[in-house]
Amino acid sequence: MQQTLDDIHRILWIAGGLFLAIIGTIAWIVTKAGVGAVSAAASVSEKLAAGELQERMEVKGEDEVARLAASFNHMAATLQDQITQLAQLSRMQQGFVSDVSHELRTPLTTVRMAAEVLYDARDGFDPISKRSTELLYHQVERFQALLADLLEISRFDAGAAEPDLEAADILGIVRDVVEATEPLALNNGSEVRIVCREDRVVVDADPRRVERIVRNLVVNALEHGEGKPVEIAVATNADAVGVAVRDYGIGMSDDDAARVFDRFWRADPARARTTGGSGLGLAIAAEDARLHDGWLEAWGSPGNGACFRLTLPRRHGEGFAASPVPLSPQDTSLPAPPRALSALVSPDPEEHHD
């Protein structure tokens, strides 16, 4: 009887071991199939996110995993078709803007010449004709500026814009811009001040594009500064150069500051063009800053004005961690600047000193 019991125990242990082995093998196979499918889906998803839209999962059999793979492949194919259509539409839009802008240049030049002739002879016209001639002349000028901006935007979209880098004196560029915008400053009753502790600030940059950025920022500050002072701070550190343009006019909200570099966007819901240019100036300025591997940032507070900060690397191809000038009164990323620079972000223009 004892021998029989021992044989039964031995058989039970062997059967239990075989049963556990079979269950373990089945569990391993099922887990591998499920985890393998998830791992394959994750790998293909990462490749799709990286732009490899042709990647697909391998479909084997007719089980649930195969259905998952087939559904995933169908989703990937649909996304690829939609992305391809959007890319084609974007290229068509860019080509349309570029072609129309080029085609409009010739007739616009002719219209401008005729408008200039009429404008020069306007003193001999009756009051109504004189006013109409002045309106025609100024609107043609505005149209020409918009056309030039559209051509520049089309070059950015096509990837054809390249900076012509050289050793440029940023402080000299700022002074030239202030001198060029002096008539506008006098007309608006605003005083423009330059704050800098150095005589020259030389960086690797495209002077034409940097001058366009600074001019756009200064003109915007004068137009929205409500006759209050406009201050331009220029500062450097070991890696970067910063130019901040601060006004004390109508200001803008955080939402406005986040969208101010969008094309054709205006804070005025009515989108009235009583002030400002084509609506592309800040968008072009942001693209110019990106060409230099730099930053163009905005801050504003309703009723307390706005500040735009351009930061460029001192040497092309080398990065930088922070800007040497503050952007807002709450900017704590920098050590406390000297009073001349801290005046730039003071909310009270009366606190400023040259």
Side-chain angles (χ1 to χ4, degrees), residues 266-288:
R266 290 176 67 87
D268 180 11
R271 301 181 65 84
R273 293 284 179 183
T274 56
T275 61
S278 64
L280 293 171
L282 288 176
I284 293 175
E287 294 289 349
D288 282 334

Side-chain angles (χ1 to χ4, degrees), residues 10 22 112 137-138 144 151 172 188 227 258 264 288 323-324 329 339:
R10 189 180 300 108
I22 293 172
R112 178 178 173 82
Y137 177 78
H138 292 302
Q144 192 169 36
L151 287 171
N188 291 339
F264 296 109
D288 282 334
S323 178
R339 181 169 180 79

Side-chain angles (χ1 to χ4, degrees), residues 152-180:
E152 188 68 17
I153 284 291
S154 68
R155 281 191 286 269
F156 283 121
D157 290 339
E162 293 290 339
D164 187 10
L165 299 175
E166 61 181 70
D169 181 11
I170 299 298
L171 184 57
I173 293 174
V174 170
R175 287 169 176 160
D176 292 340
V177 169
V178 171
E179 182 179 353

Side-chain angles (χ1 to χ4, degrees), residues 221 224-226 228-229 246-251 301-306:
H224 300 92
E226 297 183 320
K228 298 177 182 178
R246 175 76 154 94
D247 69 78
Y248 300 89
I250 59 177
S301 175
N304 291 322

Side-chain angles (χ1 to χ4, degrees), residues 101 141-151 264 277-280:
S101 300
E141 276 194 331
R142 186 172 173 179
F143 188 14
Q144 192 169 36
L146 172 60
L147 190 59
D149 288 344
L150 286 173
L151 287 171
F264 296 109
S278 64
L280 293 171

Side-chain angles (χ1 to χ4, degrees), residues 229-307:
V230 172
E231 297 194 349
I232 308 172
V234 182
T236 66
N237 58 25
D239 303 317
V241 172
V243 179
V245 180
R246 175 76 154 94
D247 69 78
Y248 300 89
I250 59 177
M252 57 184 172
S253 65
D254 292 339
D255 292 338
D256 294 340
R259 299 190 58 192
V260 73
F261 298 110
D262 293 349
R263 299 176 184 182
F264 296 109
W265 184 85
R266 290 176 67 87
D268 180 11
R271 301 181 65 84
R273 293 284 179 183
T274 56
T275 61
S278 64
L280 293 171
L282 288 176
I284 293 175
E287 294 289 349
D288 282 334
R290 277 191 284 269
L291 282 181
H292 289 82
D293 298 327
W295 303 340
L296 185 58
E297 303 160 284
W299 168 88
S301 175
N304 291 322
C307 182

Side-chain angles (χ1 to χ4, degrees), residues 57 59-74:
M57 290 183 64
V59 180
K60 294 181 179 180
E62 298 181 355
D63 55 4
E64 296 299 324
V65 175
R67 289 182 57 193
L68 171 64
S71 299
F72 187 93
N73 290 342
H74 178 69

Side-chain angles (χ1 to χ4, degrees), residues 82-156:
Q82 293 179 350
I83 292 174
T84 302
Q85 292 176 5
L86 290 174
Q88 292 176 347
L89 178 60
S90 178
R91 286 193 295 269
M92 290 175 59
Q93 291 175 338
Q94 294 173 9
F96 175 78
V97 171
S98 179
D99 293 342
V100 169
S101 300
H102 280 286
E103 290 298 326
L104 286 175
R105 295 183 68 180
T106 299
L108 181 59
T109 301
T110 304
V111 173
R112 178 178 173 82
M113 292 174 60
E116 287 178 348
V117 171
L118 293 174
Y119 186 77
D120 293 338
R122 69 187 185 281
D123 292 336
F125 298 162
D126 59 85
I128 296 179
S129 299
K130 179 179 179 180
R131 180 57 180 163
S132 300
T133 301
E134 292 173 347
L135 289 174
L136 173 64
Y137 177 78
H138 292 302
Q139 291 304 314
V140 168
E141 276 194 331
R142 186 172 173 179
F143 188 14
Q144 192 169 36
L146 172 60
L147 190 59
D149 288 344
L150 286 173
L151 287 171
E152 188 68 17
I153 284 291
S154 68
R155 281 191 286 269
F156 283 121

